């Protein structure tokens, strides 16, 4: 089971926010981003090629997930 499996809508398709969360998790686990580093949402949305809303959605839960 992949990380994206937990971020799917009932249709079985991964959400954009779920894909961003999975990418951020990957980047942290592989040393690309430092744990606890502040994210610039504007730079993140440009890098991911999406709007601001999908980038902002995963961020509130990150401090709780550890």
């Amino acid at each position: 089971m992949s990380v994206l499996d937990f971020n799917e809508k009932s249709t079985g398709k991964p959400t954009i926010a779920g894909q961003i969360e999975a990418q951020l998790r990957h980047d942290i686990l592989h040393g690309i981003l430092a744990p606890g580093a502040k994210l610039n949402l504007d730079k993140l949305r440009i890098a991911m090629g999406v709007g601001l809303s999908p980038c902002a959605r995963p961020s509130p839960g990150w401090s709780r997930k550890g």
Side-chain angles (χ1 to χ4, degrees):
M1 182 178 285
S2 75
V3 174
L4 289 178
D5 294 337
F6 294 107
N7 298 308
E8 293 181 359
K9 290 183 177 180
S10 60
T11 61
K13 296 180 182 178
T15 64
I16 294 171
Q19 291 173 351
I20 292 169
E21 184 175 354
Q23 182 64 48
L24 290 173
R25 184 179 311 277
H26 173 273
D27 289 353
I28 292 168
L29 292 174
H30 289 88
I32 298 167
L33 290 173
K38 292 190 178 194
L39 299 174
N40 180 314
L41 293 180
D42 198 46
K43 288 181 181 179
L44 180 62
R45 75 168 183 82
I46 291 168
M48 298 280 186
V50 298
L52 187 59
S53 291
C55 291
R57 285 194 181 129
S59 57
W62 278 85
S63 62
R64 294 187 304 266
K65 290 185 180 180

